[in-house]
Amino acid sequence: MWAKNWKFLGNGIIRLFSLGAQAIKYLTSPPGNLIIFSLATVYFALISVESYWLAVDKMNQAFVPKPFINDGADPKHLGLAVGSITFWTSVMLSLFVQSIQAFAIREVRKEIQQNIDASSKSAALRGAAIIATYVIDGRIGLASYLVFGIETTRILVNLVWLILDVMGTEIGLNFFDHAYEKAAQELK
């Protein structure tokens, strides 16, 4: 009788200590990785919205905490920002620019996957749209992440966050899309 109880207790301890590994395994394989990639996409979309919000007025406060960036970001500032019309204008501008990027990149990827021979005019138009929106995003991001006239280590940190600001949402969406395709195949 005691042996059975010890075995039960031993199995419980093993399960308890392996919870972290089980959670990591779930969150890094389909369908669990969809959760991680969707949260990352929302985070990077908020960073983009915050950049537009800060570019509108330097007095606006940052609301997305970012590692190695000391900009006084506090999530409670989002609650204050939501009441402002300029915040919603920033949201719409950011979503508009990101939707152009996402649509153009998705169309290019679809043509490559399906071996569609697109006309050079439509390819040039998509390329110009992607470049123009990245230039807009980059200029807006430069208002938040200075890369000129500061020390070298700060330049590197700000450059990384500038790139994540400009391209983070697209990267997150591509990872999510890829994970969704894999999860859909496994669930069939």
Side-chain angles (χ1 to χ4, degrees), residues 62-77:
F63 52 82
V64 181
K66 297 166 280 302
F68 308 111
I69 298 288
N70 188 15
D71 59 358
D74 191 353
K76 68 182 174 191
H77 294 159

Side-chain angles (χ1 to χ4, degrees), residues 93-106 170:
L93 285 172
S94 175
L95 290 176
F96 179 72
V97 169
Q98 289 180 16
S99 64
I100 291 172
Q101 292 168 349
F103 176 76
I105 291 171
R106 187 171 291 124
E170 290 78 29

Side-chain angles (χ1 to χ4, degrees), residues 127-163:
I130 292 170
I131 290 170
T133 55
Y134 280 141
V135 166
I136 292 168
D137 260 353
R139 178 60 192 105
I140 294 293
L142 280 173
S144 301
Y145 309 105
L146 299 175
V147 292
F148 303 110
I150 56 177
E151 68 231 25
T152 307
T153 55
R154 187 74 1 221
I155 288 173
L156 294 175
V157 169
N158 284 359
L159 194 57
V160 167
W161 279 103
L162 177 63
I163 291 168

Side-chain angles (χ1 to χ4, degrees), residues 16 35 46 106 114 124 135:
L16 179 68
I35 297 167
L46 282 172
R106 187 171 291 124
Q114 296 174 356
V135 166

Side-chain angles (χ1 to χ4, degrees), residues 27-48:
L27 291 173
T28 56
S29 61
N33 60 356
L34 292 173
I35 297 167
I36 295 294
F37 291 137
S38 61
L39 290 175
T41 303
V42 168
Y43 178 75
F44 289 121
L46 282 172
I47 287 175
S48 179

Side-chain angles (χ1 to χ4, degrees), residues 100-101 103-112 116-132:
I100 291 172
Q101 292 168 349
F103 176 76
I105 291 171
R106 187 171 291 124
E107 289 298 312
V108 169
R109 187 172 43 152
K110 191 185 303 182
E111 289 174 0
I112 291 171
I116 297 173
D117 191 23
S119 70
S120 61
K121 184 178 179 181
S122 68
L125 187 62
R126 281 194 202 103
I130 292 170
I131 290 170

